[in-house]
Amino acid sequence: DTAVSQTPKYLVTQMGNDKSIKCEQNLGHDTMYWYKQDSKKFLKIMFSYNNKELIINETVPNRFSPKSPDKAHLNLHINSLELGDSAVYFCASSQDSTRNQPQHFGDGTRLSIL
Amino acid sequence: GNSVTQMEGPVTLSEEAFLTINCTYTATGYPSLFWYVQYPGEGLQLLLKATKADDKGSNKGFEATYRKETTSFHLEKGSVQVSDSAVYFCALKGAGNNRKLIWGLGTSLAVNP
Protein backbone atom coordinates (compact mmCIF):
# COMPACT_ATOMS: atom_id res chain seq x y z
CA ASP A 1 0.00 0.00 0.00
CA THR A 2 1.34 3.40 -0.96
CA ALA A 3 1.65 5.60 2.14
CA VAL A 4 1.67 9.02 0.46
CA SER A 5 0.29 9.09 -3.04
CA GLN A 6 0.22 12.00 -5.46
CA THR A 7 -1.56 12.35 -8.75
CA PRO A 8 -0.71 12.93 -11.48
CA LYS A 9 2.90 11.75 -11.64
CA TYR A 10 3.57 13.84 -14.74
CA LEU A 11 1.83 17.04 -15.80
CA VAL A 12 2.67 18.79 -19.05
CA THR A 13 0.67 21.89 -19.82
CA GLN A 14 0.81 25.30 -21.41
CA MET A 15 1.54 28.64 -19.84
CA GLY A 16 -1.56 30.35 -18.51
CA ASN A 17 -3.47 27.17 -17.73
CA ASP A 18 -4.84 26.21 -14.30
CA LYS A 19 -4.01 22.80 -12.85
CA SER A 20 -4.40 20.81 -9.65
CA ILE A 21 -2.26 18.17 -7.95
CA LYS A 22 -3.84 15.80 -5.45
CA CYS A 23 -2.26 14.15 -2.44
CA GLU A 24 -3.55 11.50 -0.08
CA GLN A 25 -1.90 9.76 2.86
CA ASN A 26 -3.10 6.57 4.52
CA LEU A 27 -0.74 6.75 7.51
CA GLY A 28 -3.19 8.42 9.87
CA HIS A 29 -0.88 11.44 10.12
CA ASP A 30 -2.09 14.84 11.31
CA THR A 31 0.33 17.03 9.33
CA MET A 32 0.82 17.37 5.57
CA TYR A 33 3.18 19.47 3.45
CA TRP A 34 3.80 20.70 -0.08
CA TYR A 35 7.37 21.17 -1.29
CA LYS A 36 8.80 22.44 -4.58
CA GLN A 37 12.08 20.93 -5.81
CA ASP A 38 13.92 22.74 -8.58
CA SER A 39 16.27 21.30 -11.18
CA LYS A 40 19.24 21.64 -8.79
CA LYS A 41 17.39 19.53 -6.19
CA PHE A 42 16.83 22.50 -3.88
CA LEU A 43 13.81 21.83 -1.65
CA LYS A 44 11.50 24.66 -0.70
CA ILE A 45 8.60 24.29 1.74
CA MET A 46 5.46 25.91 0.41
CA PHE A 47 2.62 25.03 2.76
CA SER A 48 1.80 22.82 5.70
CA TYR A 49 -1.50 21.83 7.28
CA ASN A 50 -2.02 20.29 10.70
CA ASN A 51 -5.39 18.61 11.03
CA LYS A 52 -6.83 20.81 8.25
CA GLU A 53 -5.41 24.02 9.74
CA LEU A 54 -2.81 25.99 7.75
CA ILE A 55 0.35 26.25 9.89
CA ILE A 56 3.06 27.08 7.35
CA ASN A 57 2.47 29.50 4.51
CA GLU A 58 5.77 30.45 2.91
CA THR A 59 6.33 33.25 0.47
CA VAL A 60 4.82 31.77 -2.65
CA PRO A 61 2.78 33.55 -5.33
CA ASN A 62 -0.91 33.66 -4.50
CA ARG A 63 -1.52 31.74 -7.74
CA PHE A 64 -0.79 28.70 -5.54
CA SER A 65 -3.63 27.70 -3.28
CA PRO A 66 -3.66 24.64 -1.04
CA LYS A 67 -6.84 22.94 0.12
CA SER A 68 -7.23 20.32 2.80
CA PRO A 69 -10.73 18.79 2.80
CA ASP A 70 -9.73 16.41 5.59
CA LYS A 71 -6.52 15.50 7.36
CA ALA A 72 -5.74 12.69 4.91
CA HIS A 73 -5.84 14.93 1.84
CA LEU A 74 -3.95 18.02 0.77
CA ASN A 75 -4.41 19.33 -2.74
CA LEU A 76 -2.55 22.08 -4.55
CA HIS A 77 -4.21 24.27 -7.15
CA ILE A 78 -2.11 26.50 -9.39
CA ASN A 79 -3.64 29.31 -11.45
CA SER A 80 -2.14 30.97 -14.52
CA LEU A 81 0.86 28.68 -14.77
CA GLU A 82 4.20 30.29 -15.62
CA LEU A 83 7.43 28.88 -17.04
CA GLY A 84 9.11 29.23 -13.63
CA ASP A 85 6.58 26.86 -12.09
CA SER A 86 8.26 23.95 -13.86
CA ALA A 87 9.59 21.74 -11.06
CA VAL A 88 8.88 18.58 -9.12
CA TYR A 89 6.24 19.07 -6.42
CA PHE A 90 6.34 16.75 -3.45
CA CYS A 91 3.64 16.07 -0.93
CA ALA A 92 4.72 14.79 2.49
CA SER A 93 3.13 13.91 5.81
CA SER A 94 4.23 13.45 9.40
CA GLN A 95 2.52 12.13 12.50
CA ASP A 96 2.40 15.64 13.88
CA SER A 97 4.43 18.83 13.63
CA THR A 98 6.66 18.23 16.65
CA ARG A 99 10.39 18.12 16.27
CA ASN A 100 11.04 14.37 16.41
CA GLN A 101 8.64 13.26 13.73
CA PRO A 102 10.12 12.41 10.31
CA GLN A 103 8.31 13.27 7.12
CA HIS A 104 7.10 10.70 4.61
CA PHE A 105 7.20 11.77 0.98
CA GLY A 106 5.21 10.92 -2.10
CA ASP A 107 6.98 10.17 -5.38
CA GLY A 108 6.47 13.66 -6.73
CA THR A 109 4.57 15.34 -9.56
CA ARG A 110 6.78 16.47 -12.42
CA LEU A 111 5.26 19.67 -13.79
CA SER A 112 6.48 20.95 -17.15
CA ILE A 113 5.22 24.22 -18.58
CA LEU A 114 5.45 24.64 -22.34
CA GLY B 1 17.76 31.62 12.58
CA ASN B 2 18.33 27.90 12.14
CA SER B 3 20.41 26.73 9.19
CA VAL B 4 22.08 23.64 7.74
CA THR B 5 25.28 23.61 5.71
CA GLN B 6 26.04 20.53 3.69
CA MET B 7 29.11 19.74 1.64
CA GLU B 8 28.69 20.38 -2.04
CA GLY B 9 28.67 17.60 -4.53
CA PRO B 10 28.79 15.81 -6.70
CA VAL B 11 30.74 13.12 -4.91
CA THR B 12 32.02 10.26 -7.05
CA LEU B 13 33.38 7.10 -5.43
CA SER B 14 34.33 3.59 -6.43
CA GLU B 15 32.42 0.67 -4.99
CA GLU B 16 33.57 -0.32 -1.47
CA ALA B 17 35.09 3.12 -0.82
CA PHE B 18 34.49 4.96 2.46
CA LEU B 19 31.91 7.74 2.36
CA THR B 20 31.67 10.91 4.42
CA ILE B 21 29.20 13.68 3.69
CA ASN B 22 29.68 16.64 6.01
CA CYS B 23 26.77 18.46 7.61
CA THR B 24 26.98 21.28 10.14
CA TYR B 25 24.15 23.26 11.63
CA THR B 26 23.24 26.43 13.47
CA ALA B 27 20.35 26.31 15.91
CA THR B 28 19.23 27.48 19.30
CA GLY B 29 18.44 24.84 21.86
CA TYR B 30 18.47 21.17 20.96
CA PRO B 31 17.17 20.45 17.46
CA SER B 32 16.45 17.04 15.98
CA LEU B 33 18.71 16.08 13.07
CA PHE B 34 17.89 13.94 10.05
CA TRP B 35 19.43 12.47 6.94
CA TYR B 36 17.12 11.81 4.00
CA VAL B 37 17.97 10.02 0.75
CA GLN B 38 16.43 10.58 -2.67
CA TYR B 39 16.97 7.84 -5.26
CA PRO B 40 16.58 8.81 -8.93
CA GLY B 41 12.97 9.48 -9.88
CA GLU B 42 11.67 8.99 -6.35
CA GLY B 43 10.63 11.04 -3.35
CA LEU B 44 12.79 11.55 -0.29
CA GLN B 45 12.88 8.90 2.38
CA LEU B 46 14.20 9.05 5.91
CA LEU B 47 17.61 7.39 6.20
CA LEU B 48 18.34 8.03 9.89
CA LYS B 49 17.79 10.52 12.66
CA ALA B 50 19.11 11.63 16.06
CA THR B 51 17.18 13.66 18.58
CA LYS B 52 19.73 14.53 21.26
CA ALA B 53 23.43 15.15 21.68
CA ASP B 54 25.71 12.09 21.30
CA ASP B 55 22.89 10.01 19.77
CA LYS B 56 23.99 7.89 16.83
CA GLY B 57 21.49 7.23 14.06
CA SER B 58 22.12 4.22 11.83
CA ASN B 59 20.42 2.45 8.95
CA LYS B 60 21.49 0.37 5.92
CA GLY B 61 25.17 0.65 6.95
CA PHE B 62 25.00 4.45 7.20
CA GLU B 63 25.75 6.22 10.49
CA ALA B 64 25.71 9.77 11.81
CA THR B 65 26.45 11.04 15.30
CA TYR B 66 24.85 14.18 16.77
CA ARG B 67 27.81 16.27 17.93
CA LYS B 68 26.73 19.27 19.96
CA GLU B 69 30.28 20.51 20.56
CA THR B 70 31.04 20.76 16.84
CA THR B 71 27.39 21.31 15.74
CA SER B 72 27.80 18.52 13.21
CA PHE B 73 25.93 15.46 11.95
CA HIS B 74 28.23 13.94 9.34
CA LEU B 75 26.99 10.95 7.35
CA GLU B 76 29.36 7.98 6.99
CA LYS B 77 29.36 4.56 5.41
CA GLY B 78 32.27 2.17 5.49
CA SER B 79 31.78 0.55 2.10
CA VAL B 80 29.47 2.08 -0.50
CA GLN B 81 27.63 0.16 -3.20
CA VAL B 82 26.42 1.19 -6.64
CA SER B 83 22.89 1.10 -5.25
CA ASP B 84 23.79 3.93 -2.82
CA SER B 85 23.95 6.37 -5.74
CA ALA B 86 21.43 9.05 -4.79
CA VAL B 87 21.08 12.57 -3.42
CA TYR B 88 21.51 12.89 0.34
CA PHE B 89 19.90 15.69 2.36
CA CYS B 90 20.76 16.78 5.89
CA ALA B 91 17.86 18.42 7.75
CA LEU B 92 17.14 20.02 11.12
CA LYS B 93 13.94 20.50 13.09
CA GLY B 94 14.22 23.12 15.77
CA ALA B 95 12.82 23.06 19.25
CA GLY B 96 9.86 25.16 20.31
CA ASN B 97 7.20 26.44 17.98
CA ASN B 98 9.28 26.38 14.81
CA ARG B 99 7.45 23.82 12.71
CA LYS B 100 9.60 23.92 9.58
CA LEU B 101 12.19 21.36 8.63
CA ILE B 102 15.35 23.22 7.58
CA TRP B 103 17.02 21.48 4.64
CA GLY B 104 20.56 21.36 3.35
CA LEU B 105 21.11 21.78 -0.38
CA GLY B 106 21.65 18.07 -0.98
CA THR B 107 24.77 16.16 -1.97
CA SER B 108 24.71 13.98 -5.06
CA LEU B 109 26.61 10.71 -4.73
CA ALA B 110 27.59 8.55 -7.68
CA VAL B 111 29.18 5.15 -6.99
CA ASN B 112 30.96 3.47 -9.87
CA PRO B 113 31.44 -0.30 -10.12
Side-chain angles (χ1 to χ4, degrees):
Chain A
D1 274 350
T2 304
V4 180
S5 58
Q6 301 178 223
T7 54
K9 190 173 174 73
Y10 298 95
L11 189 49
V12 181
T13 190
Q14 294 202 323
M15 220 163 42
N17 283 350
D18 303 338
K19 290 292 178 187
S20 291
I21 307 172
K22 296 190 174 185
C23 179
E24 176 181 4
Q25 54 95 3
N26 63 5
L27 296 166
H29 288 170
D30 284 345
T31 309
M32 296 185 73
Y33 310 81
W34 276 113
Y35 285 92
K36 179 180 181 181
Q37 187 177 47
D38 65 20
S39 57
K40 294 185 179 174
K41 302 295 186 183
F42 178 67
L43 265 178
K44 177 181 162 59
I45 181 73
M46 300 174 71
F47 304 103
S48 177
Y49 276 73
N50 186 65
N51 213 356
K52 301 197 297 174
E53 178 194 349
L54 182 65
I55 58 170
I56 296 175
N57 186 2
E58 289 293 284
T59 307
V60 297
N62 57 15
R63 299 181 294 104
F64 290 79
S65 52
K67 280 194 173 49
S68 182
D70 55 60
K71 71 175 194 177
H73 296 84
L74 179 61
N75 303 323
L76 182 66
H77 188 76
I78 316 170
N79 287 329
S80 304
L81 281 157
E82 299 177 358
L83 288 175
D85 298 332
S86 295
V88 182
Y89 292 84
F90 286 102
C91 177
S93 73
S94 61
Q95 188 166 343
D96 53 47
S97 59
T98 59
R99 69 182 193 95
N100 291 342
Q101 297 303 323
Q103 295 180 10
H104 298 252
F105 283 75
D107 283 339
T109 295
R110 285 141 188 85
L111 175 62
S112 298
I113 310 302
L114 303 177
Chain B
N2 296 342
S3 67
V4 171
T5 303
Q6 202 176 326
M7 70 183 271
E8 284 189 35
V11 174
T12 303
L13 295 173
S14 298
E15 211 166 17
E16 299 183 4
F18 185 86
L19 168 71
T20 300
I21 301 178
N22 289 340
C23 173
T24 56
Y25 68 90
T26 304
T28 52
Y30 293 88
S32 291
L33 300 171
F34 304 86
W35 276 101
Y36 283 80
V37 58
Q38 184 178 25
Y39 298 104
E42 297 183 12
L44 284 76
Q45 47 185 280
L46 178 69
L47 182 58
L48 52 86
K49 71 174 187 179
T51 57
K52 59 183 190 297
D54 300 325
D55 264 3
K56 179 187 280 189
S58 61
N59 186 22
K60 298 182 183 181
F62 291 89
E63 292 183 342
T65 301
Y66 187 143
R67 302 267 187 220
K68 185 77 174 166
E69 64 277 11
T70 53
T71 62
S72 65
F73 193 55
H74 304 322
L75 183 68
E76 296 182 336
K77 185 174 186 183
S79 175
V80 293
Q81 306 301 311
V82 172
S83 57
D84 293 326
S85 299
V87 181
Y88 293 82
F89 292 89
C90 184
L92 170 158
K93 191 85 177 291
N97 289 328
N98 191 337
R99 297 177 176 186
K100 277 195 305 186
L101 202 55
I102 308 298
W103 295 90
L105 295 180
T107 302
S108 175
L109 169 68
V111 180
N112 297 321

